[in-house]
Amino acid sequence: LDDVFLITDLITEAEIAALVPFTTVLRACTQVHVNAWREQEKYPHFMLSRLPVVIDDDHLAHLYLSELLYISYLVTLLKLPSKSLGNKKTSFPNTPSVVIDNMYKKFTSQGQRDGKLR
């Protein structure tokens, strides 16, 4: 269990703050939006299936949605072929730079021999 991390230990306050515009959109979405996003494959299915969770407290809702977004970005990073790791903007369009940069710092490393990201 050494490889299990709490999401609250991974996401920084700066990343949570940068995700405010995105969580605001998610908080206000309707089932029509969710269906359209599902068709467009804008977000992973696991994330869209968790959006209907109703949270009355706005602060808690924002934290929950920030964590959900962050997990979806991590899943995207995990699925990227190694040759695509160098192009952050293409792999993570419309994602705050602070989130992308911090994820790359935490979850990728530079190869010793060839200098490639892994």
Side-chain angles (χ1 to χ4, degrees), residues 15-116:
E15 291 168 313
I16 290 171
L19 292 171
V20 167
F22 300 93
T23 61
T24 302
V25 169
L26 293 172
R27 182 98 162 108
C29 76
T30 64
Q31 191 60 47
V32 173
H33 294 106
V34 172
N35 292 341
W37 293 336
R38 192 170 278 132
E39 281 183 29
Q40 299 163 1
E41 297 181 358
K42 184 170 181 164
Y43 299 105
H45 178 75
F46 78 86
M47 183 182 155
L48 293 175
S49 67
R50 284 157 181 81
L51 283 181
V53 173
V54 178
I55 300 173
D56 291 330
D57 183 301
D58 283 338
H59 179 72
L60 287 178
H62 169 65
L63 288 176
Y64 172 78
L65 292 169
S66 296
E67 292 167 358
L68 201 53
L69 277 168
Y70 194 82
I71 291 168
S72 75
Y73 298 146
L74 286 175
V75 169
T76 300
L77 182 65
L78 177 67
K79 290 182 178 181
L80 283 179
S82 58
K83 62 184 173 188
S84 298
L85 286 173
N87 194 346
K88 297 176 189 178
K89 295 297 178 191
T90 302
S91 302
F92 297 93
N94 301 320
T95 305
S97 296
V98 67
V99 174
I100 299 169
D101 294 342
N102 284 344
M103 280 190 345
Y104 269 70
K105 284 178 194 172
K106 294 176 196 172
F107 301 108
T108 64
S109 63
Q110 203 78 28
Q112 293 295 326
R113 293 184 196 161
D114 57 10
K116 292 183 181 178

